[in-house]
Amino acid sequence: MAALGQLVAGIAHEINNPVNFIAGNLVYAINYTQDLLQLISLYQHHYPAPVAEIKAAIAEMELEFLTTDYLKLLDSMKFGTERIQEIVLSLRNFSRLDESDKKIVDIHEGIDSTLIILQSRLINQQTGQLITIDKEYGNLPLVECYAGLINQVFMNILSNAIDAIFEGFESAYSNLKSPVIRIRTEVTDNRQVVIRIADNGTGIPKDIQKRLFDPFFTTKPVGKGTGLGLSISYQMVVEKHCGQLQCISTIKEGTEFIITIPVELNS
Ligand SMILES: Nc1ncnc2c1ncn2[C@@H]1O[C@H](COP(=O)(O)OP(=O)(O)O)[C@@H](O)[C@H]1O
Ligand SMILES: [Mg+2]
């Protein structure tokens, strides 16, 4: 996991530079284009009847279409570049995997980065159904933790929530609900940060609830589940951070995972 984190951080770093060139230059490209297009329209205004060669060139390049399309095209390139920057930033945040390093971090930033990485999974490719993310963020202090590990916990729990929702929403009982993941955070009086991640997916039968944190326990088909997400998360929260990881679930209604970690980590 540490090697993977380093790889991701390395790639994110390498992509970051060239993307910044593109993003930075696009601003000028858009300005210059606007200027040139304006100049052309000035020419057209003052020389409404150009020579045949120019007339032919205008027709050939479909100048009118080009004029409207060019800026749109640059705008969509700008949009795409911003999206790449956003993803790269999230990957960098996410892969702060230097496990030996404790850091003082904003937990909400970690959750948001994880959500950006998961964004494409929030929409069901078959049905087009979209999961709403309902955030109720409390006023959290910065938290001392192994940020990369905590982000992995968010990733594991949010991934499971997405799976449970789309599995649940294939069955008939859920026709009336709209899929939602609710994320709430708060800090308690005794300096613990509590993060609750709740879904309205399948829910978990009682007999299975006892086995959730067992390594290799999965109810998912081969190739989809590894059964490691929750056991690793448990280790990270309970052993690495002296915290708690709890699960509350009602079948056919949904599941809530509650992560509790101290604001300051005692070594
Ligand atoms: N939010 C959830 N809703 C319903 N079931 C869940 C949820 N989270 C975990 N589970 C159950 O716990 C099992 C173990 O989860 P995990 O350790 O992440 O392994 P995996 O996702 O690879 O199966 C899952 O297979 C699933 O049955
Ligand atoms: Mg999982």
Side-chain angles (χ1 to χ4, degrees):
M1 242 1 187
L4 184 63
Q6 269 166 8
L7 182 70
V8 170
I11 292 172
H13 181 79
E14 290 304 326
I15 294 175
N16 198 42
N17 280 336
V19 167
N20 282 342
F21 300 153
I22 299 174
N25 285 326
L26 262 177
V27 177
Y28 294 103
I30 290 172
N31 275 339
Y32 295 164
T33 305
Q34 277 166 339
D35 287 351
L36 288 172
L37 291 177
Q38 213 180 345
L39 186 67
I40 291 173
S41 95
L42 260 181
Y43 266 107
Q44 285 177 319
H45 181 72
H46 290 289
Y47 302 97
V51 296
E53 197 183 344
I54 294 180
K55 245 187 189 161
I58 288 176
E60 169 74 15
M61 70 179 66
E62 300 180 64
L63 182 63
E64 209 171 315
F65 172 76
L66 186 154
T67 312
T68 52
D69 200 48
Y70 199 6
L71 280 171
K72 272 195 235 160
L73 171 159
L74 286 172
D75 264 342
S76 77
M77 285 166 72
K78 186 158 165 267
F79 182 77
T81 326
E82 281 164 0
R83 181 87 182 98
I84 298 175
Q85 284 179 311
E86 207 178 50
I87 293 168
V88 167
L89 181 70
S90 299
L91 287 175
R92 293 173 83 183
N93 274 335
F94 181 77
S95 59
R96 283 200 205 147
L97 279 178
D98 0 34
E99 288 171 61
S100 54
D101 266 18
K102 282 185 277 188
K103 294 225 167 74
I104 297 192
V105 296
D106 178 347
I107 288 290
H108 296 147
E109 212 174 74
I111 300 174
D112 290 342
S113 294
T114 309
L115 285 170
I116 287 175
I117 296 172
L118 286 172
Q119 203 163 48
S120 64
R121 286 187 52 203
L122 295 178
I123 181 159
N124 186 328
Q125 302 300 339
Q126 271 112 53
T127 62
Q129 211 168 23
L130 187 74
I131 301 177
T132 309
I133 304 290
D134 182 3
K135 292 186 210 170
E136 286 174 37
Y137 286 172
N139 202 353
L140 291 191
L142 295 177
V143 173
E144 184 187 24
C145 65
Y146 300 98
L149 305 187
I150 289 296
N151 289 346
Q152 274 183 48
V153 173
F154 297 148
M155 175 65 102
N156 291 336
I157 291 177
L158 285 165
S159 296
N160 285 342
I162 294 171
D163 288 343
I165 283 179
F166 287 139
E167 195 187 317
F169 278 74
E170 276 164 14
S171 41
Y173 70 82
S174 59
N175 280 346
L176 300 174
K177 296 194 283 188
S178 51
V180 59
I181 295 176
R182 189 159 169 234
I183 307 173
R184 288 181 292 160
T185 62
E186 63 172 325
V187 60
T188 63
D189 292 340
N190 55 347
R191 310 267 308 149
Q192 304 281 314
V193 166
V194 185
I195 303 130
R196 296 168 209 269
I197 300 177
D199 65 68
N200 61 350
T202 52
I204 308 173
K206 273 271 172 313
D207 55 321
I208 286 186
Q209 283 183 30
K210 289 184 223 114
R211 306 170 59 193
L212 286 182
F213 300 108
D214 293 353
F216 303 108
F217 174 78
T218 181
T219 57
K220 293 171 194 172
V222 182
K224 188 141 202 292
T226 59
L228 286 173
L230 285 180
S231 69
I232 290 176
S233 300
Y234 189 85
Q235 247 179 7
M236 289 175 180
V237 173
V238 176
E239 284 163 33
K240 276 277 193 183
H241 289 88
C242 310
Q244 286 172 294
L245 182 59
Q246 294 159 281
C247 171
I248 301 171
S249 186
T250 309
I251 190 91
K252 293 192 178 180
E253 288 197 1
T255 304
E256 178 171 67
F257 280 88
I258 307 172
I259 305 158
T260 310
I261 53 170
V263 176
E264 284 99 14
L265 242 188
N266 294 326
S267 37

